[in-house]
Amino acid sequence: QTLHVAMDEKQIGRDIGAWITASAGGKGKVAFIAGPPGAPTFKNLTDGVKESFAKTGLQVVFEQYGALTRERGLKLAEDALTANPDLVAIYAANDDVALGAAQAVQAAGKKGKVKVTGMNGIPPALRAVGDGTLSLTVELNPVNWGRLGVDVLAGYLKGEKYKQQVFIKHELIDAKNIGVKMPKS
């Protein structure tokens, strides 16, 4: 039997989507600056976000796939904001893309009006959530991921039964809980 310790990408996407829905009041235009085309992780995340929008008034009006860079996030967010000045949110595939998108939102004078979501909980993203530049990131604690992998293996060797997939926990980090997450300088 093969065990797979992973992140529940679709559920993370659904959670991000639910967060966007709540923060936008359930309606408005959203831009997707998604990850590399064909990469299963990023497809699952995007599918999860879209799934959570299904019964809302949110519509995806801009969607681009590609590299996970800050430059790309900046450029595509500028394009999305130009084409849709009334955007309510930008979903970004990871924190680097999100930090670029947040820069574009700030430059357009829409900080706080257009929510930008990232993913991974890297220190620059946590700082950006702390100062209100970035609206949301998702923390996937790599230490816990490693510990879970070791614990599952140890349990398995002792004969404990697991489902085929064991998912690591993720946590949405926004203005409400950033205080406890900020790296102490």
Side-chain angles (χ1 to χ4, degrees), residues 6-183:
M7 61 178 180
D8 188 344
E9 297 148 352
K10 263 219 172 103
Q11 187 55 50
I12 293 169
R14 284 186 210 105
D15 290 350
I16 293 169
W19 187 95
I20 291 170
T21 301
S23 73
K27 59 184 187 296
K29 296 177 180 177
V30 181
F32 273 48
I33 306 177
T41 294
F42 295 104
K43 182 185 182 331
N44 290 337
L45 285 163
T46 304
D47 288 352
V49 176
K50 286 181 178 171
E51 206 177 283
S52 75
F53 287 177
K55 295 173 185 72
T56 71
L58 290 166
Q59 69 187 111
V60 179
V61 294
F62 180 95
E63 191 168 359
Q64 292 285 328
Y65 292 81
L68 300 170
T69 66
R70 200 174 289 203
E71 297 72 29
R72 189 172 152 271
L74 173 63
K75 171 80 179 83
L76 289 177
E78 287 170 348
D79 293 351
L81 286 161
T82 301
N84 305 280
D86 53 348
L87 276 183
V88 295
I90 298 173
Y91 161 77
N94 78 352
D95 285 341
D96 280 326
V97 176
L99 288 164
Q103 203 178 326
V105 166
Q106 203 165 3
K110 295 179 188 273
K111 179 179 169 181
K113 291 183 190 79
V114 179
K115 306 293 182 197
V116 180
T117 68
M119 152 107 182
N120 287 344
I122 63 173
L126 293 173
R127 282 192 294 277
V129 170
D131 71 20
T133 311
L134 188 60
S135 308
L136 172 82
T137 186
V138 179
E139 185 177 62
L140 301 164
N141 190 315
V143 174
N144 291 349
W145 199 338
R147 189 176 300 133
L148 179 62
V150 171
D151 291 348
V152 167
L153 178 61
Y156 179 73
L157 294 174
K158 285 188 217 142
E160 290 172 24
K161 297 279 180 250
Y162 293 93
K163 289 185 178 141
Q164 218 45 60
Q165 274 198 313
V166 179
F167 291 121
I168 58 162
K169 292 189 177 15
H170 61 275
E171 186 179 359
L172 302 185
I173 313 270
D174 63 9
K176 291 186 200 83
N177 62 351
I178 187 63
V180 295
K181 291 293 173 183
M182 275 304 282

